[in-house]
Amino acid sequence: MKAALYTQYGSPDVIFIGDVPKPIPKDDEILIRVMATTVNRTDCGFRSAEYVISRLFSGIFKPKNPILGNEFAGIVEQVGNKVTSFKVGDRVFGYNDITFGAHAEYMVVQEKSPVLVMPNSLTFEQAAPIVEGAHYALCDIRAMKIKKGDRVLVNGATGAIGSAAVQLLRYFGAEVTAVCGTKHLSQIKAFGAVNVIDYTKEDFTKINDQFDVVFDAVGKSTFAKCKPILKSNGIYISTELGPNLQNPFLALIAPFTKGKRVLFPLPTITKEDISFLLDLVQRGIFTPLVDRTYTLDTIRLAHEYVETRMKVGNVIVSVTQTL
């Protein structure tokens, strides 16, 4: 089968298209013909190993799983002998950040992993980007313990995480102020932001306002810079480790301090989580924002684009063009 491979860490140039054996599902696994996937910050982070700590999971000296891709949508082609919840021909979508593998024509996942049958009303390109950004946002929102009426500022509101966060926060009853670029102000307001700030014209850390939570969905600010716009017991959450890995450290000491604090929850995901997200999609409450689509043959360009950190929402890769 055709797959996008990487056998060393580095820039997008380490990605190449090659042929590898089609995987064979174990008794508790399903074989999926991948129709669509995404390239996201997680993929790029593991590929570049910019944060050396990622090598503890992906391989110290070289990648142990040479195929990236954590989001997928496709068709079940084969099921293991002990699989009971899926059958051949099922249209499925899901997430796998343990072994990855979606940047290929076929992948295997465990039956118990975060994968579900997708509704016929969705295309593969619509289903593939449901999970990655939204599950990070959902994890952080749960850590915030949002109450109806809480005021939350989302920086980076056009990213996969940020655009999902705006919509999910609105669902949970928060009043959202979103920070994004000029071209996308109306789109983010349509997603439920009460107020929008154009970062090309105004520094959100210097506005005369205060919030219960500042959610930096792109990791371009710091706790210190955001302190003035946090309420006395306000929370700062970032999707990045921060300068000198400060965010996990500040989160560790938060229980021993009073007042404004940092949270840095470790992301988790379950079948129940993606079922919840799918329900919101079907009810029109959450719509993954999509920037552009590439093919598997041009996936290196997708990596290059994501690394500009200027993408809007999700970058889709169409893997299989025809059935």
Side-chain angles (χ1 to χ4, degrees):
M1 69 171 184
K2 184 187 294 184
L5 306 167
Y6 80 126
T7 56
Q8 59 183 310
Y9 298 114
S11 72
D13 290 340
V14 303
I15 299 289
F16 64 96
I17 303 299
D19 289 312
V20 295
K22 183 177 173 181
I24 299 172
K26 297 176 183 176
D27 286 349
D28 62 344
E29 293 179 334
I30 59 175
L31 174 69
I32 299 169
R33 182 177 187 180
V34 181
M35 305 299 289
T37 180
T38 64
V39 172
N40 49 55
R41 282 165 56 187
T42 303
D43 295 314
C44 291
F46 273 78
R47 187 213 68 239
S48 68
E50 177 184 359
Y51 292 120
V52 178
I53 193 172
S54 70
R55 296 187 185 219
L56 296 178
F57 306 98
S58 61
I60 299 297
F61 300 108
K62 65 178 183 178
K64 59 185 178 183
N65 296 310
I67 304 173
L68 290 166
N70 48 54
E71 286 187 294
F72 58 87
I75 302 170
V76 176
E77 183 154 302
Q78 187 179 344
V79 299
N81 294 331
K82 296 181 179 179
V83 172
T84 60
S85 54
F86 299 98
K87 64 182 185 301
V88 172
D90 280 346
R91 301 167 76 248
V92 296
F93 80 106
Y95 186 74
N96 178 13
D97 64 351
I98 305 300
T99 58
F100 292 79
H103 293 171
E105 292 178 310
Y106 295 90
M107 69 181 298
V108 292
V109 297
Q110 289 187 319
E111 178 184 24
K112 66 180 182 181
S113 65
V115 55
L116 292 177
V117 174
M118 55 183 273
N120 291 328
S121 59
L122 294 179
T123 67
F124 295 110
E125 287 75 15
Q126 290 172 324
I130 288 175
V131 183
E132 201 257 354
H135 100 276
Y136 284 125
L138 182 62
C139 179
D140 286 343
I141 290 169
R142 285 171 173 165
M144 297 172 197
K145 298 182 179 179
I146 290 297
K147 304 182 299 297
K148 187 172 183 179
D150 280 351
R151 305 190 71 228
V152 182
L153 181 141
V154 178
N155 183 38
T158 54
I161 300 174
S163 59
V166 170
Q167 297 174 77
L168 294 175
L169 284 163
R170 180 189 181 190
Y171 170 77
F172 286 113
E175 178 188 303
V176 180
T177 293
V179 182
C180 60
T182 310
K183 293 191 299 183
H184 310 293
L185 296 175
S186 59
Q187 171 70 80
I188 299 306
K189 200 155 191 177
F191 277 164
V194 175
N195 302 298
V196 289
I197 297 173
D198 185 343
Y199 73 81
T200 68
K201 299 178 179 178
E202 190 173 12
D203 182 347
F204 77 90
T205 66
K206 296 179 180 178
I207 62 175
N208 185 26
D209 205 349
Q210 288 193 317
F211 302 88
D212 297 286
V213 180
V214 170
F215 182 23
D216 189 351
V218 284
K220 291 186 176 180
S221 188
T222 64
F223 178 46
K225 289 181 179 178
C226 292
K227 267 188 173 182
I229 60 169
L230 283 173
K231 292 182 180 179
S232 58
N233 289 308
I235 294 169
Y236 174 81
I237 291 186
S238 174
T239 57
E240 294 290 337
L241 298 173
N244 301 313
L245 308 181
Q246 67 176 249
N247 291 331
F249 172 74
L250 292 172
L252 284 173
I253 65 172
F256 308 102
T257 60
K258 294 182 179 180
K260 305 173 186 183
R261 65 196 189 281
V262 174
L263 295 183
F264 196 80
L266 296 178
T268 59
I269 186 166
T270 64
K271 277 184 183 288
E272 290 73 24
D273 292 333
I274 65 170
S275 178
F276 170 73
L277 294 172
L278 177 60
D279 177 63
L280 295 186
V281 169
Q282 290 183 284
R283 291 162 59 191
I285 294 171
F286 166 52
T287 302
L289 188 59
V290 173
D291 187 319
R292 59 184 68 182
T293 301
Y294 293 86
T295 63
L296 186 61
D297 288 332
T298 60
I299 196 170
R300 184 188 293 176
L301 297 177
H303 278 260
E304 291 175 356
Y305 180 57
V306 172
E307 285 215 335
T308 67
R309 304 201 72 173
M310 297 301 294
K311 73 178 178 68
V312 177
N314 299 272
V315 171
I316 309 298
V317 176
S318 181
V319 177
T320 307
Q321 300 295 310
T322 59
L323 292 176

